[in-house]
Amino acid sequence: MNIIYKELKILFSSKILSLLIAILSQILLTWKLGAADFGSYAICYIFFSLLSIFFVNGYSFAITYFLSSRYITLSESFIYVFIFGSVSSLFAIFIGFLLLKNQINFFYKFGYSELYISLLIIPFIFLSNTFAQLFSSIQNFKLYRYLILIQSLLQFLFLILFVFIFKMGVKGALLSLIFASLFVICVEIFQFKKEYTFKFVVIKKKIVLKILKYYLSYYLGYVSNSVNHYLGTFMVSLFLNKESVGIYSLANQLISRSIIIPDTIYTMIFPKVSLSKNGNAKLIAQTSRYLVLISFFLIVLIYFLSEPFINLFFSSEFSGAI
């Protein structure tokens, strides 16, 4: 249990630091873009996120599970992540391209060029996030911690560069995600070659089928649960203007920051549960009780602090987010 607490301490410290950097980026972005352009940015983010959810992201869970359970090696997992990520990302981009080509009136409101740029984010975000998860799957939490901190810091720096220095607005904010993810991918590959032995392996039909089977077994549950996070903002965008979307999106994003707790615990216990024959039900039950209790107090804290926080750090244009 002491080991678990130590690992949680490592993960929480990095998650909190990356959270603070993300909130700072969000504050600066809202001041620079205003509610209308922030609404456009939010829809672009939702657009590529939904495409990723439907066609790409699920493969990462399947591959990290088989790595955690030692069914495949780290070298194999890197290769399968790259193959599944590349193919599924290209398919998601193709679907997004078709949607934009149909010239649906909804897209005019938020900017076609920005939405096209957002499609390019899909493979970079998937690869950078999943490569980092591979290290957590083999319980190298220290390296995982550095990677998520590097990604948050790079996103902040590229945001300053493209939005504030080059004054590229929404396009700059989207480009910051691409360049930050690209740099992190390079760091992850470097760290992998530095700390582990990489071996090119033959793609095995048996493993490919197992990954697909695992992916399909929870696809509907994963999609329905993930889409729910973006549904509110999407519905607002259908009926209201960009300013309203920006205000609602800010409120939704601030509330969603509370996911740091379940996300951290999931990252920590996932490899342990995967290795256990019985699923380590005791560990799951124990962490779930702590999770419910901590999350409850965090949500209550957010409720009482939301008004002074928004009034202090955001412009009056976003007061409706309270």
Side-chain angles (χ1 to χ4, degrees):
M1 189 58 67
N2 289 333
I3 296 176
I4 293 176
Y5 286 140
K6 184 178 179 180
E7 291 172 348
L8 273 176
K9 184 179 179 181
I10 292 173
L11 290 174
F12 264 124
S13 62
S14 59
K15 291 281 188 178
I16 290 173
L17 282 173
S18 61
L19 174 64
L20 292 175
I21 295 172
I23 291 176
L24 177 60
S25 300
Q26 193 174 40
I27 292 171
L28 294 176
L29 197 59
T30 54
W31 277 98
K32 184 65 176 179
L33 297 182
D37 281 346
F38 189 73
S40 295
Y41 173 74
I43 291 302
C44 290
Y45 197 97
I46 289 173
F47 183 59
F48 83 78
S49 295
L50 289 177
L51 287 170
S52 297
I53 289 168
F54 279 107
F55 303 112
V56 184
N57 289 351
Y59 295 108
S60 65
F61 296 101
I63 296 170
T64 52
Y65 170 75
F66 287 120
L67 175 62
S68 297
S69 59
R70 304 298 187 263
Y71 185 79
I72 59 177
T73 65
L74 186 59
S75 294
E76 287 177 314
S77 65
F78 257 80
I79 291 173
Y80 286 117
V81 165
F82 182 78
I83 292 173
F84 278 99
S86 299
V87 174
S88 59
S89 293
L90 286 174
F91 183 73
I93 291 172
F94 175 71
I95 296 298
F97 183 80
L98 290 181
L99 288 173
L100 294 176
K101 270 296 182 183
N102 284 331
Q103 297 185 345
I104 301 171
N105 290 332
F106 168 77
F107 295 130
Y108 278 111
K109 184 165 59 175
F110 299 101
Y112 266 97
S113 58
E114 288 83 357
L115 288 165
Y116 275 116
I117 292 174
S118 73
L119 292 177
L120 300 176
I121 300 173
I122 295 173
F124 296 105
I125 286 284
F126 174 80
L127 291 176
S128 64
N129 289 343
T130 308
F131 282 157
Q133 289 169 14
L134 295 182
F135 293 115
S136 70
S137 296
I138 57 175
Q139 302 190 51
N140 189 342
F141 295 118
K142 287 186 177 180
L143 180 54
Y144 175 79
R145 172 184 64 178
Y146 292 132
L147 290 172
I148 62 174
L149 281 175
I150 289 171
Q151 182 150 17
S152 298
L153 184 59
L154 284 173
Q155 285 180 2
F156 175 76
L157 294 175
F158 278 116
L159 186 72
I160 298 296
L161 178 66
F162 289 120
V163 177
F164 287 86
I165 298 178
F166 292 160
K167 301 184 185 303
M168 297 178 67
V170 176
K171 294 178 183 177
L174 296 171
L175 287 174
S176 69
L177 295 174
I178 295 175
F179 279 87
S181 298
L182 179 60
F183 270 73
V184 170
I185 291 170
C186 294
V187 172
E188 289 164 339
I189 294 173
F190 172 78
Q191 287 294 330
F192 176 70
K193 293 180 68 177
K194 179 183 176 182
E195 298 191 21
Y196 302 93
T197 302
F198 179 78
K199 295 180 180 179
F200 285 100
V201 296
V202 178
I203 305 303
K204 298 177 182 178
K205 181 180 177 181
K206 181 181 178 181
I207 296 178
V208 171
L209 292 176
K210 272 189 168 292
I211 291 172
L212 288 172
K213 183 180 179 181
Y214 190 92
Y215 167 71
L216 293 173
S217 66
Y218 67 87
Y219 176 79
L220 290 177
Y222 165 73
V223 168
S224 60
N225 184 57
S226 301
V227 167
N228 183 60
H229 173 69
Y230 300 103
L231 191 59
T233 306
F234 178 73
M235 293 302 294
V236 169
S237 68
L238 291 176
F239 304 105
L240 300 178
N241 56 31
K242 291 195 297 184
E243 289 81 0
S244 299
V245 174
I247 294 169
Y248 180 88
S249 175
L250 174 64
N252 187 54
Q253 288 179 37
L254 291 175
I255 289 294
S256 67
R257 301 298 181 188
S258 61
I259 202 172
I260 183 178
I261 294 175
D263 181 61
T264 304
I265 293 177
Y266 166 82
T267 301
M268 187 270 297
I269 70 171
F270 180 76
K272 295 176 174 56
V273 172
S274 301
L275 275 172
S276 177
K277 292 182 179 180
N278 62 359
N280 211 330
K282 183 179 179 181
L283 177 61
I284 294 175
Q286 190 174 29
T287 53
S288 296
R289 287 194 292 269
Y290 287 122
L291 176 61
V292 171
L293 185 62
I294 296 172
S295 297
F296 172 77
F297 282 111
L298 181 61
I299 291 173
V300 171
L301 187 65
I302 291 174
Y303 174 80
F304 284 106
L305 294 180
S306 60
E307 183 173 355
F309 179 78
I310 291 175
N311 286 334
L312 180 62
F313 292 105
F314 296 91
S315 69
S316 58
E317 193 177 9
F318 289 90
S319 59
I322 300 171

